[in-house]
Amino acid sequence: MATPKFINNTNFQQDLKKRVNQYFADRKKASTGNFNLYSKAIFFSLSYVALYIHLVYFTPSISLAIIECILLGCFTAAIGFNVMHDGGHGSFSKYKIINQLAALSVNFLGASSIMWNTKHNIIHHTYTNIDGIDDDIEAKPWLRLCETQKRYKAHKFQHLYFWVLYSFLHILWIFLTDYQKYFKRKIGSVPLRSLTTREHISFWAAKIGYIAFFVVIPIIKVGFLYWLVGFLIATMVTGLLISIVFQLAHTVEHTHFPMPTDENKIENDWAIHQIQTTANFATKNKLISWLVGGLNFQVEHHLFPKISHVHYPAISKIIRKTCEEYGLQYIEYKKMRHAIVSHVSYLKKLGQAD
């Protein structure tokens, strides 16, 4: 499927960009991360390393080990949300090298920064919720995530079993999907650009390094069975957290799933497309915002991915007001549980007979 073109028929994107840029200019403030982000990144990273060392080299009691594995899964997701994500978008710091290092943290979490950059930054952020292109809504045959996808009988129950599938996201990411993209040389239907020799080496170094630190060494230190149980607990917690946060942003009852016209065009400009395909949740909850790296402000993130998430609460007011002026629905769920209920309802509706 060829990537479609967006039709620029309003001044919405220009006006929005101008107003947000003016916000930073008036306050003489950088749009990248600040001390709050850096202190949070240090806390999550040190906690992650400390948990790993204690679990592998000091062999805590079973009950404590289970708790620590759950926390390790939480901190894995937190680093992904807060460090890797901003770094990958070049918004973690004003220094390019620091952004690159932050983005590379995904390699230590089991995934490939190369595949993530193409899948997320390029494809998902450009062609959000377009079936056949956006790999984030591609879960066939296990889940039906939009009306244009084929419905199977098992989908009748997808609103019940999706929790289990989401839990395995991180494991599949580590051991399957990255390799599929690498060897097939495409992400979904979009061809993957040719990798340089350095990128090939980087891909395999990251994968081998992760297996060494999170499979081989733990098995040697604690034994296969203890490693297996602990690894499953940690990765399943990570998978569930990552899946829920990202799915609440796009696959809920009010988001759209537009398809290209016969001329392979999307009948909106890119910014309006992002407004219609993206939702916020729990934006008043400071703890959730802190933990998920502002990804509950998904509308702001999709419109301005190169702005650090620490600024989303401020610019959300500008975006909301501009949407009102242009008659656009700003999709938001006041509570996280409301968004989860909407996601479950959406999956249930798609699982029924057409």
Side-chain angles (χ1 to χ4, degrees), residues 58-75:
F58 292 90
T59 316
S61 64
I62 293 178
S63 57
L64 181 57
I66 291 174
I67 294 173
E68 290 189 356
C69 286
I70 293 173
L71 287 174
L72 184 65
C74 292
F75 281 116

Side-chain angles (χ1 to χ4, degrees), residues 8-77:
N8 189 4
N9 51 16
T10 74
N11 292 323
F12 174 74
Q13 186 171 354
Q14 292 178 338
D15 287 348
L16 191 58
K17 185 177 181 180
K18 181 179 179 181
R19 294 176 186 184
V20 170
N21 287 343
Q22 192 64 47
Y23 165 83
F24 288 103
D26 290 345
R27 289 157 181 79
K28 297 180 180 179
K29 180 186 296 186
S31 62
T32 50
N34 55 23
F35 175 79
N36 292 332
L37 174 57
Y38 305 146
S39 59
K40 180 167 56 169
I42 292 171
F43 169 72
F44 285 141
S45 301
L46 291 179
S47 298
Y48 178 83
V49 172
L51 283 169
Y52 172 85
I53 292 174
H54 193 252
L55 279 165
V56 174
Y57 293 97
F58 292 90
T59 316
S61 64
I62 293 178
S63 57
L64 181 57
I66 291 174
I67 294 173
E68 290 189 356
C69 286
I70 293 173
L71 287 174
L72 184 65
C74 292
F75 281 116
T76 301

Side-chain angles (χ1 to χ4, degrees), residues 100 146 246 343:
Q100 291 174 337
C146 63
F246 281 104
H343 179 59

Side-chain angles (χ1 to χ4, degrees), residues 217-236:
I217 293 176
I219 290 176
I220 293 173
K221 299 298 293 185
V222 303
F224 177 80
L225 183 59
Y226 286 130
W227 162 79
L228 179 62
V229 173
F231 185 77
L232 287 175
I233 291 173
T235 52
M236 290 178 74

Side-chain angles (χ1 to χ4, degrees), residues 116-351:
W116 170 261
N117 179 64
T118 304
K119 168 187 166 63
H120 181 77
N121 296 2
I122 299 174
I123 299 175
H124 170 67
H125 268 268
T126 306
Y127 307 104
T128 313
N129 277 13
I130 299 178
D131 186 27
I133 299 178
D134 185 2
D135 194 56
D136 280 14
I137 58 169
E138 176 59 61
K140 297 192 292 284
W142 311 107
L143 293 172
R144 186 187 190 214
L145 295 177
C146 63
E147 291 183 347
T148 51
Q149 294 176 351
K150 183 177 180 180
R151 178 185 172 275
Y152 296 97
K153 291 182 179 180
H155 293 156
K156 183 178 180 180
F157 307 101
Q158 67 176 1
H159 64 290
L160 301 175
Y161 65 71
F162 78 92
W163 299 99
V164 178
L165 293 182
Y166 286 0
S167 297
F168 284 98
L169 171 69
H170 192 211
I171 298 175
L172 292 175
W173 196 354
I174 295 168
F175 296 114
L176 180 63
T177 57
D178 271 349
Y179 294 106
Q180 288 178 330
K181 295 174 176 60
Y182 180 86
F183 287 110
K184 291 182 178 180
R185 296 187 178 182
K186 64 180 182 178
I187 297 176
S189 63
V190 181
L192 183 67
R193 65 171 176 78
S194 298
L195 302 182
T196 64
T197 301
R198 182 178 179 179
E199 287 173 328
H200 282 292
I201 294 173
S202 175
F203 176 87
W204 287 107
K207 288 297 182 180
I208 293 171
Y210 182 84
I211 291 174
F213 279 98
F214 285 88
V215 179
V216 177
I217 293 176
I219 290 176
I220 293 173
K221 299 298 293 185
V222 303
F224 177 80
L225 183 59
Y226 286 130
W227 162 79
L228 179 62
V229 173
F231 185 77
L232 287 175
I233 291 173
T235 52
M236 290 178 74
V237 168
T238 300
L240 182 60
L241 291 174
I242 292 174
S243 298
I244 287 295
V245 169
F246 281 104
Q247 292 294 3
L248 295 186
H250 300 292
T251 54
V252 288
E253 292 172 297
H254 298 92
T255 51
H256 296 195
F257 295 81
M259 290 298 290
T261 64
D262 292 338
E263 292 78 27
N264 201 31
K265 295 181 179 180
I266 298 294
E267 296 181 324
N268 271 319
D269 65 34
W270 175 83
I272 292 178
H273 176 81
Q274 299 306 318
I275 290 289
Q276 294 180 340
T277 58
T278 310
N280 286 357
F281 64 90
T283 56
K284 301 298 183 183
N285 190 315
K286 293 184 178 180
L287 179 60
I288 289 178
S289 298
W290 189 80
L291 291 171
V292 305
L295 291 177
N296 52 332
F297 286 88
Q298 194 75 197
V299 172
E300 287 68 32
H301 173 60
H302 266 256
L303 290 169
F304 297 96
K306 292 189 178 299
I307 294 178
S308 174
H309 72 265
V310 297
H311 304 293
Y312 291 165
I315 67 172
S316 67
K317 300 173 184 177
I318 301 171
I319 294 171
R320 186 189 299 273
K321 183 179 179 181
T322 309
C323 285
E324 290 176 358
E325 292 177 8
Y326 278 83
L328 299 173
Q329 182 186 12
Y330 182 93
I331 307 170
E332 181 174 9
Y333 296 89
K334 299 298 183 183
K335 306 287 185 181
M336 186 172 184
R337 65 176 181 272
H338 297 163
I340 292 175
V341 168
S342 182
H343 179 59
V344 173
S345 298
Y346 176 74
L347 290 178
K348 184 176 182 180
K349 176 185 176 182
L350 284 181

